[in-house]
Amino acid sequence: MPEPPVPGNCLTRVLVHTPAHSQMAGALSYWSEAPLPPGTLVRVPLGQRELLGVVWSIDSTSASDATLDPAKLRPVTTVLDAMPPLSAHWRDLIRFAASYYQRAAGEVALAALPPQLRDMSSVQLERRLKKLATATAKRTQAVVKPATETDTAPTPEPDAATPAVVLTQEQHQAISQFHQQPGPFLLFGATGSGKTEVFMHCTAALLASKPEAQALVMVPEINLTPQLEARFKARFCPLYGADAVVSMHSGMSPAQRLNNWLAAHSGAARVVLGTRMAVFASMPQLQLIVVDEEHDPSYKSSEGARYSARDLAIYRGHLEGAKVMLGSATPSLESWHHSRPAEEGGRYLRLEMPSRIGRGQLPLVRRVDMNHQPKSCIISAPLLAAITQRIARGEQSMVFLNRRGYAPVLQCSDCDWKSECPHCSAYRVFHKIDRTLRCHHCGLSERVPRACPACGNPDITPLGRGTERLEEHLAELLAGVQRPDGQPVRIVRIDADTTRLKGALESQLAQVHTGEVDVLVGTQMIAKGHDFRRITLVAAVNPDNALFSSDFRAPERLFSLLMQAAGRAGRDETVTNQSEMWLQTFLPKHPLYEALKKHDYPAFAASQLKERQQAAMPPFSFQALIRSEARSQEAAQGFLTLASQAASSQSDTATLLTQITLYPAVPMSMARIANIERAQMLVESPSRTALQRFLSAWQGVLHSTRAHPECKGVIRWAIDVDPHNI
Ligand code: ADP
Ligand code: ZN
Ligand code: ZN
């Protein structure tokens, strides 16, 4: 074996993915023969394993290093120097995200890199990068001398939105504000007001301003990427080449993901479209970040580092000097509040586009008072008549359930038996397709029993109304109805079950688009984003349950869901004037529905913000949740209670407590999953800074509390900063 060079040549601090709460949460020390620039990817030994890591710093001045025995340091195994190092901005973003969301920087950094990178050699990387560079070079030539037909990049099919559009007055104004002001911007535009068009214009302007400029465009759901990708490709590939627009989301193959990530990192990609994970994309020349549907809860991660991609986008824009534009028809109350007039303390610039493109009007909102309908009525007579009328006219209807609380649970008609999950505080759900009872939390799946397990009664039936039952029910109700061509009514259901297979959603959506479908039934999944041109009726079967939720954000979500759903109706100018949104409700006079009827988001937001202010809720206060999991509810809560007591007895946390409220530990609303008990504690402060200081100081206390013998039953704990579900 060759002698290793003298240890300590170059002390290198490397971030690796260590368990979130291990003692090694910081960067680890190694030595390397030559100084490695921070941001370089390396592979390093850790115990018996070899891990991918990022060189974090090369200084050796920090206190802990003084205690390091240089002879014990191990060398960096591989340097992936074929790839340019990750930028200082990128590292700052990781550092910030880790500290703000109270996680280890290594976890955040490594989760932000494509998994395939872990197994690649420098040579393989080099080959990939070369391929990308060749493609870029070709594309640059093509753009420089567009006169030659042969080497112009192949252009994808242009869609309806290719440059020919003449901007509306509102779009024009929004874009000129964007150019004149630094931002961040909140583009508050009705559904169909042409927001995407504005995003594309702003992107085009920035890309044209600098040969390397890059733009990041985020959408909440993978499902929404294909439509958007088609529009962006049609616009930008002819200008910058076929590889200039790439996507980044969890639905891609590992190879695709690596390739697109490298394209962004090397600058080959000029536009990156992605879901929340894309906020960490390495983009050395980032000039613009767009966050479409910025209110959408899926921008907030619900595991690992529970970051909000929307909030990080704002921070990243600030860090990199990139402009940031958030867009929504129903902004989050946080963003709405931030975009109040500057004189009142607003920090974002609100750009308004209230009108829909063309003559398009928003649909008429009709409320059916369910108090006057027969008990257990699912589709009221007036709604059924309205749907029947659409069918006769050859128009389409969309009927949806907001799924929460509507999964079909099996119930015995004789005794009290319900299909409870033995391991969770939840009911198992009846899946007709394979006649199973499945727990949506722990996955436990069993065949449906022939008879009630408690009393033997063979008559066990679904309780509640899943989309499957709704579809069946509608089929029964519409059995005698005919389409204008004399054919029977065609109903299609779109939900998580029908779209599990790859390509299923696309083909179902295509059916809707080509008009093969008369009635579309589904979950809220169908209410979002899709551009259905021939739908003239949208119905929410029972939206009320969100109004009784213990979650203070539930009304905000319901309003935005219903507004979006309403926006699905009448997108085609020829049918827009007859389009309607139907709500079946027991609370027809509820202010939320009143505001909805007027399509008046500002009124709804004002009333909600007033309530939030009175109750000192976000955005007027700042929150964090600490969650713990244990074998028993006592242990889970006990840990939180001990940690809370310790906070007031230890000096570094106690001094901060004047600005902090620590609430008592309580069971989570899903108190038990797979036999693990879950508890939580709310931490609140009127000051974000105070909350941050407290949480960082409290981390140590939590670690030491967990080590107490009393807390032996605790399995894990985590902090959720700016939590969405309380
Ligand atoms: P939003 O994102 O606000 O829902 P889109 O940008 O998708 O709205 O625009 C809705 C429809 O109007 C799209 O089909 C789009 O191509 C079209 N559109 C947008 N801007 C214009 C315009 N200035 N003139 C004509 N059509 C437009
Ligand atoms: Zn029974
Ligand atoms: Zn379960």
Side-chain angles (χ1 to χ4, degrees):
M1 255 181 64
E3 278 292 295
V6 188
N9 262 358
C10 275
L11 179 67
T12 307
R13 311 270 293 153
V14 178
L15 271 192
V16 293
H17 189 171
T18 46
H21 300 309
S22 81
Q23 295 309 313
M24 305 185 296
L28 306 182
S29 298
Y30 294 89
W31 61 263
S32 66
E33 285 174 55
L36 298 174
T40 306
L41 284 185
V42 292
R43 219 166 271 119
V44 292
L46 182 68
Q48 299 298 323
R49 292 179 303 162
E50 197 179 275
L51 299 177
L52 181 68
V54 182
V55 174
W56 212 234
S57 60
I58 36 174
D59 68 52
S60 51
T61 47
S62 80
S64 63
D65 291 341
T67 62
L68 284 174
D69 177 359
K72 289 215 176 112
L73 287 188
R74 297 166 78 183
V76 167
T77 322
T78 314
V79 180
L80 298 172
D81 50 7
M83 204 187 86
L86 293 152
S87 70
H89 283 324
W90 187 85
R91 283 176 283 126
D92 284 342
L93 176 68
I94 297 294
R95 216 171 265 135
F96 172 80
S99 126
Y100 187 83
Y101 294 103
Q102 307 290 324
R103 304 295 288 202
E107 181 193 9
V108 180
L110 275 295
L113 299 174
Q116 237 191 12
L117 219 42
R118 290 173 205 160
D119 312 311
M120 298 206 40
S121 71
S122 209
V123 177
Q124 286 171 312
L125 256 180
E126 200 168 346
R127 230 179 275 142
R128 291 250 188 171
L129 283 162
K130 230 181 228 148
K131 249 198 215 156
L132 278 170
T134 325
T136 315
K138 252 201 211 139
R139 152 192 118 191
T140 321
Q141 281 167 12
V143 176
V144 171
K145 38 176 185 131
T148 56
E149 297 132 72
T150 41
D151 55 2
T152 330
T155 52
E157 292 284 290
D159 77 353
T162 0
V165 298
V166 180
L167 293 176
T168 64
Q169 188 58 31
E170 288 174 5
Q171 285 173 322
H172 197 74
Q173 262 183 2
I175 293 165
S176 78
Q177 287 280 305
F178 172 82
H179 288 313
Q180 288 161 27
Q181 305 289 335
F185 304 92
L186 174 64
L187 181 59
F188 170 53
T191 3
S193 61
K195 293 188 288 300
T196 313
E197 198 55 45
V198 170
F199 300 152
M200 289 200 289
H201 263 261
C202 297
T203 305
L206 287 184
L207 294 192
S209 71
K210 241 191 183 182
E212 299 90 32
Q214 294 177 299
L216 169 62
V217 180
M218 291 198 284
V219 286
E221 279 182 55
I222 298 179
N223 293 340
L224 301 181
T225 51
Q227 266 188 24
L228 193 74
E229 193 177 313
R231 286 176 77 175
F232 271 78
K233 283 199 160 156
R235 180 71 55 94
F236 295 107
C237 292
L239 293 173
Y240 301 112
D243 310 314
V245 177
V246 302
S247 295
M248 227 176 254
H249 56 74
S250 58
M252 300 188 306
S253 74
Q256 259 178 334
R257 200 159 144 190
L258 174 67
N259 222 37
N260 293 357
W261 186 89
L262 286 173
H265 177 64
S266 66
R270 303 289 302 277
V271 180
V272 173
L273 302 174
T275 50
R276 68 167 179 255
M277 68 196 288
V279 76
F280 291 115
S282 165
M283 299 176 71
Q285 295 292 334
L286 186 61
Q287 302 285 307
L288 170 67
I289 310 179
V290 170
V291 185
D292 194 11
E293 310 286 3
E294 67 85 30
H295 62 278
D296 198 288
S298 50
Y299 281 120
K300 170 92 173 158
S301 166
S302 57
E303 58 198 18
R306 291 160 184 258
Y307 64 89
S308 153
R310 183 235 301 153
D311 296 351
L312 285 180
I314 297 282
Y315 182 84
R316 186 171 187 181
H318 174 74
L319 190 70
E320 308 216 18
K323 287 196 172 185
V324 180
M325 186 183 269
L326 313 178
S328 177
T330 53
S332 63
L333 289 174
E334 281 83 356
S335 299
W336 185 251
H337 186 61
H338 286 321
S339 69
R340 66 199 184 276
E343 308 86 76
E344 294 166 29
R347 296 184 288 117
Y348 302 175
L349 185 65
R350 193 183 293 166
L351 310 172
E352 305 198 20
M353 299 206 303
S355 319
R356 290 179 116 189
I357 300 284
R359 299 178 293 112
Q361 284 169 14
L362 286 161
L364 179 68
V365 175
R366 312 192 61 158
R367 290 160 287 184
V368 181
D369 186 344
M370 296 304 277
N371 298 298
H372 301 318
Q373 296 296 321
K375 240 185 143 91
S376 78
C377 152
I378 299 172
I379 303 282
S380 62
L383 175 56
L384 183 64
I387 295 174
T388 311
Q389 200 182 49
R390 307 285 139 159
I391 297 169
R393 288 208 296 252
E395 296 168 7
Q396 297 175 308
S397 303
M398 178 173 105
V399 181
F400 77 96
L401 281 172
N402 28 342
R403 192 159 55 159
R404 277 198 190 141
Y406 282 93
V409 164
L410 283 193
Q411 186 187 33
C412 170
S413 57
D414 270 4
C415 73
D416 230 11
W417 180 84
K418 288 193 190 72
S419 54
E420 260 169 5
C421 175
H423 310 305
C424 307
S425 44
Y427 293 110
R428 280 178 298 163
V429 171
F430 174 53
H431 286 253
K432 191 170 178 193
I433 215 157
D434 52 1
R435 296 203 60 81
T436 54
L437 280 178
R438 258 183 257 162
C439 174
H440 286 186
H441 300 282
C442 73
L444 178 71
S445 171
E446 272 174 7
R447 288 195 62 79
V448 169
R450 278 168 202 281
C452 170
C455 75
N457 169 21
D459 187 20
I460 45 178
T461 50
L463 170 84
R465 287 155 258 158
T467 41
E468 231 174 304
R469 285 206 76 208
L470 185 60
E471 179 191 12
E472 273 176 22
H473 186 65
L474 269 167
E476 283 161 24
L477 292 175
L478 296 171
V481 178
Q482 282 185 353
R483 295 160 44 92
D485 59 8
Q487 297 292 310
V489 176
R490 284 170 296 194
I491 303 179
V492 74
R493 169 167 62 97
I494 299 188
D495 60 22
D497 278 335
T498 67
T499 54
R500 218 165 337 175
L501 295 177
K502 201 171 160 66
L505 178 66
E506 289 73 18
S507 74
Q508 287 170 359
L509 290 176
Q511 278 185 314
V512 181
H513 286 297
T514 55
E516 284 165 48
V517 171
D518 305 302
V519 182
L520 173 61
V521 176
T523 51
Q524 52 213 49
M525 174 173 171
I526 57 175
K528 283 189 184 177
H530 305 292
D531 197 354
F532 299 124
R533 307 215 138 243
R534 299 186 48 237
I535 286 181
T536 60
L537 181 149
V538 172
V541 174
N542 184 352
D544 286 348
N545 58 340
L547 299 175
F548 305 114
S549 171
S550 58
D551 184 345
F552 71 88
R553 281 183 228 267
E556 178 182 350
R557 287 203 198 112
L558 177 64
F559 189 85
S560 108
L561 175 67
L562 295 177
M563 279 285 274
Q564 276 199 43
R568 299 302 112 213
R571 285 175 77 97
D572 199 325
E573 282 181 32
T574 55
V575 294
T576 180
N577 292 326
Q578 312 109 52
S579 73
E580 292 175 352
M581 160 145 223
W582 286 64
L583 303 170
Q584 297 192 139
T585 170
F586 289 93
L587 300 162
K589 292 275 174 284
H590 194 285
L592 187 149
Y593 298 134
E594 296 281 355
L596 189 74
K597 185 163 174 66
K598 299 189 197 110
H599 304 286
D600 193 351
Y601 170 82
F604 168 74
S607 76
Q608 282 283 310
L609 282 171
K610 202 165 147 213
E611 277 179 32
R612 298 253 189 115
Q613 187 160 27
Q614 281 161 359
M617 298 265 222
F620 303 97
S621 70
F622 300 89
Q623 300 178 323
L625 265 189
I626 158 142
R627 300 200 173 93
S628 72
E629 298 184 2
R631 288 282 163 217
S632 73
Q633 193 51 237
E634 291 78 12
Q637 289 185 33
F639 163 64
L640 298 177
T641 309
L642 271 181
S644 154
Q645 287 161 354
S648 37
S649 63
Q650 301 204 1
S651 60
D652 52 342
T653 42
T655 51
L656 297 166
L657 278 177
T658 48
Q659 281 182 280
I660 302 286
T661 310
L662 283 169
Y663 287 87
V666 292
M668 283 177 63
S669 56
M670 270 292 301
R672 185 163 50 108
I673 291 184
N675 286 330
I676 292 177
E677 296 285 343
R678 297 143 33 101
Q680 66 180 33
M681 177 180 273
L682 181 63
V683 187
E684 210 172 67
S685 173
S687 149
R688 196 194 284 279
T689 318
L691 181 64
Q692 279 289 314
R693 284 213 190 103
F694 174 76
L695 292 175
S696 329
W698 201 28
Q699 281 265 4
V701 177
L702 283 156
H703 280 295
S704 52
T705 308
R706 162 93 191 264
H708 270 226
E710 287 153 85
C711 296
K712 244 183 27 210
V714 175
I715 296 162
R716 64 177 81 85
W717 59 272
I719 295 177
D720 186 352
V721 181
D722 305 330
H724 269 213
N725 302 297
I726 297 185

